[in-house]
Amino acid sequence: MKIGVLAVQGAFAEHIAMLKKLGIDAIAVRLPRELTGLNGLIIPGGESTSISRLMQDYHLTDEIKKLAGEGLPVFGTCAGMIMMAEDVSGNDSLEPLGLMHIKVTRNAFGRQRESFEAELAIPALGEKTFPGIFIRAPLIEQTNGKVEVLSTLADGTVVAARQDKLLVSSFHPELTDDLRFHRYFLDIVS
Ligand code: GLN
């Protein structure tokens, strides 16, 4: 199994390290030809405006849209989730890929909670809570019927979701020691 991690900007090295811990052949993707033969793709956190611009500059946008349309599993964390959304609230600064039927709000948690950790209930991963690390995180404001909500905060805010082979989280599983979220993506892939 070969998993690519989009490596134009952001926390790609941490995802690659996590995949290596799981015994997976993980490669950094910067060129369209590096998308060939992948079984799955991760779009990391970072700055979505930069990721969007660099994806265009490197001619990755259309190729990723095409492959996802053909069924390539894609997992987006934080800025990666923003990139996968169909709609970004009040957006005029980036071009999302529009892969998932979700509407997201960027930097959604305000100043006092800009960065925080929360123990998340994610039933799909088992009973034990998952350490959610949120860094200037987006939230999922709206989903449609094709989207399965995987986790919410105590106040009901949606922070992880799945649509077929597409997976997103507001938070950063690659910054924890908990391998379950990545393993869940690998289960989708295989
Ligand atoms: N605030 C960033 C954005 O809007 C996302 C932050 C992150 O990926 N940790 O792109």
Side-chain angles (χ1 to χ4, degrees):
M1 187 192 287
K2 192 170 140 193
I3 305 291
V5 181
L6 188 75
V8 295
Q9 196 264 336
F12 53 87
E14 290 82 354
H15 277 290
I16 292 173
M18 197 98 186
L19 291 167
K20 293 212 159 133
K21 272 191 210 164
L22 287 161
I24 296 296
D25 184 12
I27 64 152
V29 172
R30 292 188 186 88
L31 301 171
R33 64 173 158 78
E34 290 164 335
L35 291 164
T36 309
L38 293 182
N39 302 103
L41 176 70
I42 295 180
I43 306 179
E47 191 52 47
S48 51
T49 48
S50 306
I51 294 176
S52 173
R53 185 167 36 78
L54 292 166
M55 276 173 70
Q56 307 271 3
D57 291 353
Y58 295 6
H59 305 287
L60 291 160
T61 309
D62 291 341
E63 194 57 24
I64 293 173
K65 278 190 195 175
K66 181 175 140 254
L67 291 170
E70 291 167 1
L72 179 73
V74 187
F75 174 22
T77 56
C78 204
M81 171 171 104
I82 297 168
M83 287 308 301
M84 285 174 68
E86 186 172 71
D87 199 1
V88 181
S89 250
N91 169 49
D92 51 15
S93 50
L94 71 142
E95 192 188 314
L97 294 162
L99 306 181
M100 259 177 94
H101 298 300
I102 56 174
K103 181 175 183 183
V104 303
T105 309
R106 294 179 62 202
N107 305 323
F109 293 95
R111 275 186 162 271
Q112 302 212 352
R113 291 187 83 203
E114 249 185 22
S115 297
F116 62 98
E117 292 192 32
E119 287 299 320
L120 300 170
I122 309 182
L125 302 185
E127 241 166 59
K128 200 172 134 243
T129 57
F130 190 88
I133 299 181
F134 295 79
I135 305 170
R136 291 174 56 75
L139 63 76
I140 302 172
E141 182 186 324
Q142 218 173 67
T143 61
N144 86 355
K146 290 188 183 148
V147 177
E148 180 191 353
V149 171
L150 296 178
S151 187
T152 61
L153 296 179
D155 67 2
T157 304
V158 179
V159 292
R162 172 179 179 177
Q163 178 188 315
D164 300 325
K165 296 186 174 181
L166 305 172
L167 183 64
V168 287
S169 68
S170 297
F171 49 92
H172 288 268
E174 79 285 4
L175 300 182
T176 71
D177 293 324
D178 196 322
L179 300 170
R180 286 178 297 157
F181 214 98
H182 284 73
R183 208 176 271 136
Y184 181 73
F185 178 60
L186 297 176
D187 285 344
I188 294 175
V189 170
S190 58

